[in-house]
Amino acid sequence: MVAGISVAGGVALGSLDFLWIKYLPYPFAELGNSTATWAVAAFFLGRWVRSGPLRAALAASVLLVVAVPSYYLAATLVQGDDLAVLWAPSSVLWMAFGVVAGVVFGVGGTWSRRDGWRQVIGAALPAAVFVEEAARFAGRANDPGYPGAGWNVAIDLALALLLLVLVGRSNRQRALAAAVALPLAGVILVAFAVVGGSAASAIG
């Protein structure tokens, strides 16, 4: 059952992500083009899987890996993109990133149902990834290529707060998760910069 839901969820995530970007207006379309959105999808799948962190990590990784070719297949069907993009180096690289994100956020989802420090970190992860994305949009505020980036910052921060409320089981847990989410966002921001630079070098 978990395997089937992971595959079906990946197909839905990838294809609906493309349609969201194509047909919704800016700035809301950016949520489809959001690494945070995919990470949080992996988180909630991991949170749903109740049979341990290993199974949650595998399920979340399958979700994100399947989502990548599903995204490009939807682009091929809707606007006639070249099918070869399905096995292009950039697609393979995104699938590799999906495995890493699936492990981290899938396990984080299971931790959010536990007690103690694991629960705090797990509850902080989905908020942290949206705070990190908000920081990247804030860095583009003066870039003419990203008009209205301030709206994206506001949307991401609002979603971060909403996720803290939804995932936390008490106000104390939410406050602790909010405090942990800020340094976690910094770690994710640095990791994203390092990985992004390495990916650009590998593809280029």
Side-chain angles (χ1 to χ4, degrees):
M1 180 179 178
V2 173
I5 289 175
S6 299
V7 173
V11 172
L13 176 63
S15 55
L16 292 176
D17 180 74
F18 171 79
L19 295 174
W20 183 285
I21 295 169
K22 185 170 179 63
Y23 294 111
L24 262 69
Y26 185 87
F28 297 103
E30 284 290 345
L31 288 175
N33 195 31
S34 164
T35 53
T37 299
W38 285 41
V40 169
F43 171 88
F44 278 107
L45 181 60
R47 184 176 166 89
W48 173 79
V49 175
R50 295 172 180 268
S51 52
L54 178 59
R55 197 171 183 186
L58 288 171
S61 296
V62 169
L63 172 83
L64 297 184
V65 168
V66 171
V68 174
S70 298
Y71 174 93
Y72 290 118
L73 185 59
T76 299
L77 294 174
V78 172
Q79 62 186 25
D81 285 5
D82 190 346
L83 197 61
V85 73
L86 290 172
W87 51 85
S90 57
S91 301
V92 175
L93 192 61
W94 276 115
M95 285 187 267
F97 291 161
V99 173
V100 176
V103 170
V104 172
F105 286 90
V107 172
T110 64
W111 281 9
S112 70
R113 289 190 175 277
R114 296 192 176 188
D115 296 315
W117 64 270
R118 288 184 180 86
Q119 193 280 332
V120 173
I121 293 175
L125 267 174
V129 76
F130 271 108
V131 171
E132 182 274 335
E133 188 170 83
R136 281 190 282 125
F137 275 119
R140 300 166 180 165
N142 297 320
D143 187 341
Y146 290 89
W151 281 107
N152 296 115
V153 173
I155 291 169
D156 281 349
L157 291 179
L159 287 172
L161 288 173
L162 177 62
L163 287 164
L164 285 171
V165 172
L166 291 176
V167 177
R169 294 185 302 220
S170 68
N171 288 335
R172 179 178 179 276
Q173 287 179 344
R174 293 178 186 115
L176 288 171
V180 171
L182 293 177
L184 267 181
V187 171
I188 296 170
L189 185 64
V190 172
F192 201 97
V194 171
V195 170
S198 300
S201 299
I203 295 172

